[in-house]
Amino acid sequence: MKLDKQAKIYVAGHRGLVGSAIWANLKQRGYDRLVGRTHAELDLLDPVAVKQFFDEEQPDAVVLAAAHVGGIMANLRYRADFIYQNLQIQQNVIGESFRHNVSKLLFLGSTCIYPRMAPQPMHEDALLTSPLEYTNEPYAIAKIAGLKMCESFALQYGCNYVAVMPTNLYGPNDNFHLENSHVLPAIIRKTHLAKCLNEGQWAAVRQDLDRRPVEGVDGSASEEEILGCLARYGITPEAVTLWGTGSPLREFLWSEDMADASVHVLLNVDFADTYPARATEIRNCHINVGTGIELPIRQLAEKVIAEVGFKGELRWDATKPDGTPRKLIDVSKLHQLGWHHRVDIDEGIHRLYTWYCNHLQKS
């Protein structure tokens, strides 16, 4: 099924890391009837508000990129929030899409859906074959429910709902807040702040904290308060300390590549294309999206330190969890469907640090 240029497309989460990139990608392709709502304008946890939105807008297609996300620390601390909020968002948006006869829906999940010890690289068929990683189990279960909702609506009602599972994403508009950011933006910000402290650039430190306060500490705080706060996150003039051992292997995908893959699937891939034609049991119809290339977190951190130019030490706190040992995905289905990544990790780190430095003015 092709979406013509006049199709009205609702992008849920259009201000987020991936949603904003999908919005831009669609615009570049000539899709101008895009609909987005901020959280203040539309609370996706509110079923009445979501129904009213669909009643008023009647979108032809939906991209569900909205989610409650965070890193290991947030996933451990706010387990109920991660499962409840994501299930509620999915229930409301997918349910109203069905009730309003949306012709195409793209659901964005995460490769944390796969078992902790899944065979590597992880093929789509590894889903639900063994236990999940404990630290992000609630979030993973919510995302599994989302992809199974898409699959089930497609099988029972013939809906054209397709789910994509991206690997670790990074890029413009990333989350750099130290309390709940993902690994790569966290390493970039920690290293940037440590470099500024190391070089005595207090104006730059204060500018950074004014843009994104940490535990309520902003640029107006005393040097002693700032040093104490940042030290709790492993940031000192002498060293950057990161969680774990640095040994886990991770795969990273530039967010604008993810957006391009998502739009490719939205425009060119139907549900019937996501499983073998002669399958007797239709399941695991989701599509992995990534590069198929991994590297240790330690090597990633070393690349960031070289890019930022920090002259201090890199240290590891092995008392903190590493998370899943390895999370490489098999992207053969994606390649067969006609899409390959473009931005490698070195170029991506350079682009992201440049973006970060260019966006430090307080909004």
Side-chain angles (χ1 to χ4, degrees), residues 50-115:
V50 175
K51 179 183 183 301
Q52 182 179 354
F53 166 78
F54 273 82
D55 287 345
E56 293 170 356
E57 292 295 339
Q58 298 288 332
D60 300 303
V62 169
V63 177
L64 181 43
H68 181 62
V69 299
I72 288 179
M73 186 187 301
N75 272 274
L76 274 170
R77 188 175 294 169
Y78 306 115
R79 298 177 75 84
D81 293 349
F82 276 90
I83 192 166
Y84 170 75
Q85 292 190 28
N86 285 296
L87 285 173
Q88 189 79 344
I89 289 168
Q90 295 161 193
Q91 177 83 359
N92 291 338
V93 175
I94 296 173
E96 292 305 328
S97 294
F98 172 68
R99 283 184 280 274
H100 288 80
N101 299 310
V102 164
S103 62
K104 187 72 177 285
L105 182 142
L106 183 73
F107 172 73
L108 276 67
S110 165
T111 53
C112 74
I113 63 169
Y114 292 114

Side-chain angles (χ1 to χ4, degrees), residues 125-316:
D125 288 337
L127 184 66
L128 297 175
T129 55
S130 62
L132 297 165
E133 160 63 29
Y134 176 77
T135 55
N136 60 20
E137 185 180 64
Y139 178 73
I141 288 173
K143 287 300 177 181
I144 291 169
L147 74 88
K148 287 297 180 184
M149 282 184 72
C150 291
E151 201 173 272
S152 300
F153 272 101
L155 292 173
Q156 182 175 346
Y157 294 109
C159 299
N160 201 3
Y161 297 174
V162 180
V164 289
M165 300 295 126
T167 189
N168 298 284
L169 299 172
Y170 69 106
N173 299 309
D174 217 328
N175 174 13
F176 291 87
H177 290 274
L178 295 180
E179 291 100 323
N180 58 8
S181 59
H182 283 120
V183 61
L184 184 46
I187 294 174
I188 284 179
R189 188 179 183 198
K190 285 184 174 187
T191 306
H192 173 78
L193 284 166
K195 177 193 177 186
C196 293
L197 291 174
N198 181 269
E199 297 176 356
Q201 298 180 31
W202 275 97
V205 172
R206 295 182 185 282
Q207 181 186 50
D208 185 286
L209 291 173
D210 275 336
R211 181 70 178 86
R212 298 177 181 86
V214 179
E215 296 182 354
V217 175
D218 60 19
S220 67
S222 68
E223 290 187 8
E224 183 179 8
E225 285 178 298
I226 290 172
L227 286 169
C229 176
L230 295 183
R232 290 194 290 277
Y233 289 87
I235 304 164
T236 69
E238 300 79 29
V240 170
T241 303
L242 303 178
W243 275 33
T245 64
S247 63
L249 294 160
R250 290 290 182 272
E251 173 185 8
F252 294 91
L253 180 67
W254 182 245
S255 61
E256 291 171 333
D257 270 357
M258 174 57 194
D260 194 65
S262 299
V263 174
H264 174 82
V265 171
L266 179 69
L267 301 181
N268 301 294
V269 178
D270 292 329
F271 179 76
D273 302 320
T274 65
Y275 59 90
R278 298 182 180 179
T280 55
E281 291 186 348
I282 299 172
R283 54 159 60 111
N284 302 333
C285 300
H286 56 285
I287 304 164
N288 289 339
V289 182
T291 64
I293 302 166
E294 64 186 349
L295 77 165
I297 295 294
R298 181 180 296 274
Q299 185 180 344
L300 177 76
E302 290 167 352
K303 287 179 179 292
V304 171
I305 284 172
E307 173 67 32
V308 174
F310 177 53
K311 303 303 182 186
E313 286 185 65
L314 172 61
R315 298 173 185 167
W316 299 91

